[in-house]
Every structure is written in structure tokens, then in C-alpha cells.
């Protein structure tokens, strides 16, 4: 299994430009999470999907951020327009959520390698 | 919503000593508590997790304990080695009510503990 795949790994852009981050979850997983990590704020959940449906986007900072999951194997996080304060590492994670039972380990989240975004 | 507090923020130990990191959570309905290790420049990786129906879990040099009454859980690393140096994150979530939507199932992370193991 290739694990969670993210692209690009590094992105440097200028303020005002549109940025699109991409994520391919682990095959068979039904939940996908987007996180942002900074020194000041730590790991923040931005949005998560279950079965391609956005469940909670309360962590999305503002309208400049949007996320989509058109199918089970692909998701995007878009920032338009980008600002210097958006500079961070953005992680995508996936899991298989099941109500199968309390003792299952099916909801472990597996993180992708991250995208380091720098907005100048 | 859930809030997870993690202490200490930094921890320095001598190789061979034990390290303990503590977390508290606010939502008594939380029932899943994973710990992640993040090395510099790498992704967070799960090292151990515990569910609310268990009080303690061990995996070689790593153990996690859970006190549901006090709403706190701890990570214990024994015989520390330099390669244990990393940032450790605790997290909490609740599962089992997915069909009703909301925030159930997502992880709320602590702020992290930077562990340094000196040779």
C-alpha cells in the first residue's frame, strides 16, 4: 500500500495567488481529514469528509479556503487568494471509520507526508 | 467541544531514563485516545492507542494509561533511546454516532511535547 499521497510536497507562491493542494487517501478508507500545522497553533483540523461528504468544516479559517472530495480517491484543498499567514504544513489523513464495535482499530488516522506551503 | 491539554511542552531526559507525558480531556464522551510521534520534517505516525474500555496498554517500551474518572491519559516510555527524540501528540475523539453527523470521529490534538533524549 502506498499510503496517503499528497502533492505537491513543497509549494512556494506569491500573495494573492491560488493554491491547490491534492490528496489521495489509502484505498478503501472512507474518511479523509485536512490538517494545518504551524509552530504557533499546532495541529489544527480544517475539514473532514466521510464517504466523500463534508462532515465538519468548522476549522476552515475563512472563505478563502475550500475543500472538495469528488470521489473516494481524491480530495483538494484550495486557497484563493493566498496570504503569507497561510504558510504552514498541510497534512491530509485518512481512516476507515466503522461502527463495527468498540474494540476495533478501524478509525486509526494515517497521515500523508504533508505539503509545505510558503506564501511570500 | 472537546479540548485536550498536554504537558509538559518540552521534556529532556537522559538515555535510559523513563519519560512520561500527560494529557487531559474535557468531553467525558470521548472514547478513543491515540498517541502520535512526529520526527522533524516528517508526518505524525501512530505509536499506540487506547480505548475507553481499557485502563492500560503496553507495546514493548511504550505504555499508555487511561483514567476515565479523572479524564486524563498518559504516555510512558521506558529505557529511552536517542531515536525516541521527537514531538509527541496526544489526541481524543468519540466514535459510534457517525450516522448523526457532527464532529464525532475526528481527533482533537494536544499541542505536543518535544522530547529530547540525551546520549
Amino acid at each position: 500500500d502506498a499510503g496517503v499521497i499528497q502533492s505537491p510536497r513543497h509549494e512556494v507562491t506569491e500573495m494573492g495567488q491560488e493554491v491547490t493542494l491534492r490528496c489521495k487517501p489509502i484505498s478503501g478508507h472512507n474518511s479523509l481529514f485536512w490538517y494545518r500545522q504551524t509552530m504557533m497553533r499546532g495541529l489544527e483540523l480544517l475539514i473532514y469528509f466521510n464517504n466523500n461528504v463534508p462532515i465538519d468544516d468548522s476549522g476552515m479559517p475563512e472563505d478563502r479556503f475550500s475543500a472538495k472530495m469528488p470521489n473516494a480517491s481524491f480530495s483538494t484543498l484550495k486557497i484563493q487568494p493566498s496570504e503569507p499567514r497561510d504558510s504552514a504544513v498541510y497534512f491530509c489523513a485518512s481512516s476507515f471509520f466503522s461502527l463495527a464495535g468498540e474494540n476495533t482499530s478501524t478509525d486509526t488516522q494515517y497521515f500523508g507526508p504533508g505539503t509545505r506551503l510558503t506564501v511570500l | 467541544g472537546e479540548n485536550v491539554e498536554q504537558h509538559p511542552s518540552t521534556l529532556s531526559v537522559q538515555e535510559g531514563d523513563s519519560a512520561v507525558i500527560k494529557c487531559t480531556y474535557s468531553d467525558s464522551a470521548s472514547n478513543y485516545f491515540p498517541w502520535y510521534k512526529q520526527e522533524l520534517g516528517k508526518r505524525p505516525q501512530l505509536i499506540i492507542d487506547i480505548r475507553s474500555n481499557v485502563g492500560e496498554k503496553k507495546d514493548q517500551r511504550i505504555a499508555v494509561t487511561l483514567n476515565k474518572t479523572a479524564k486524563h491519559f498518559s504516555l510512558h516510555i521506558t529505557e529511552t533511546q536517542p531515536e525516541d527524540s521527537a514531538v509527541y501528540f496526544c489526541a481524543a475523539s468519540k466514535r459510534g454516532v457517525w450516522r448523526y453527523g457532527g464532529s464525532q470521529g475526528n481527533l482533537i490534538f494536544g499541542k505536543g511535547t518535544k522530547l529530547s533524549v540525551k546520549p
Side-chain angles (χ1 to χ4, degrees):
Chain A
D1 193 330
V4 177
I5 298 173
Q6 289 186 248
S7 65
R9 294 294 306 278
H10 301 273
E11 177 79 29
V12 180
T13 190
E14 293 189 346
M15 182 174 64
Q17 296 298 306
E18 177 180 297
V19 174
T20 299
L21 311 181
R22 297 173 176 80
C23 176
K24 177 179 169 56
I26 293 173
S27 177
H29 281 187
N30 60 2
S31 296
L32 184 140
F33 306 79
W34 282 102
Y35 292 91
R36 177 172 67 177
Q37 186 175 38
T38 61
M39 289 294 293
M40 292 297 294
R41 300 173 70 89
L43 261 172
E44 300 175 277
L45 177 69
L46 300 178
I47 185 172
Y48 78 101
F49 297 83
N50 177 245
N51 292 329
N52 314 336
V53 176
I55 300 299
D56 186 354
D57 65 354
S58 60
M60 296 286 260
E62 49 199 274
D63 292 344
R64 297 186 297 107
F65 286 68
S66 62
K68 295 182 180 179
M69 192 164 186
N71 56 62
S73 59
F74 183 66
S75 176
T76 60
L77 177 68
K78 185 176 293 187
I79 308 173
Q80 166 64 17
S82 58
E83 296 182 3
R85 59 194 169 117
D86 301 330
S87 297
V89 179
Y90 290 81
F91 287 103
C92 174
S94 72
S95 69
F96 175 70
F97 185 86
S98 170
L99 293 174
E102 186 68 22
N103 294 323
T104 62
S105 297
T106 57
D107 48 5
T108 298
Q109 289 190 24
Y110 297 89
F111 282 74
T115 295
R116 182 173 294 278
L117 173 65
T118 302
V119 183
L120 303 174
Chain B
E2 175 66 280
N3 182 50
V4 177
E5 299 282 341
Q6 183 171 349
H7 300 280
S9 56
T10 60
L11 179 60
S12 182
V13 300
Q14 209 66 35
E15 182 178 0
D17 288 350
S18 295
V20 180
I21 302 170
K22 299 181 179 181
C23 289
T24 60
Y25 60 98
S26 60
D27 190 342
S28 57
S30 289
N31 53 15
Y32 174 62
F33 308 93
W35 285 88
Y36 284 81
K37 175 184 180 181
Q38 186 177 26
E39 297 176 350
L40 188 62
K42 301 281 185 67
R43 76 191 77 186
Q45 292 195 297
L46 180 75
I47 54 172
I48 195 168
D49 58 12
I50 193 168
R51 298 183 186 276
S52 58
N53 59 344
V54 176
E56 182 176 1
K57 184 176 179 180
K58 291 185 72 173
D59 183 3
Q60 300 182 348
R61 296 186 298 108
I62 294 173
V64 57
T65 58
L66 171 65
N67 184 327
K68 286 190 293 182
T69 302
K71 291 191 285 187
H72 67 70
F73 56 112
S74 301
L75 177 70
H76 304 254
I77 306 174
T78 58
E79 300 172 24
T80 54
Q81 302 167 2
E83 51 264 39
D84 294 330
S85 297
V87 178
Y88 291 80
F89 293 94
C90 63
S93 78
K94 51 190 175 183
R95 67 193 299 278
V97 290
W98 187 266
R99 62 175 68 92
Y100 300 114
S103 299
Q104 291 85 355
N106 60 299
L107 293 174
I108 303 300
F109 283 88
K111 293 297 186 186
T113 296
K114 183 177 181 181
L115 174 64
S116 300
V117 180
K118 299 179 180 179

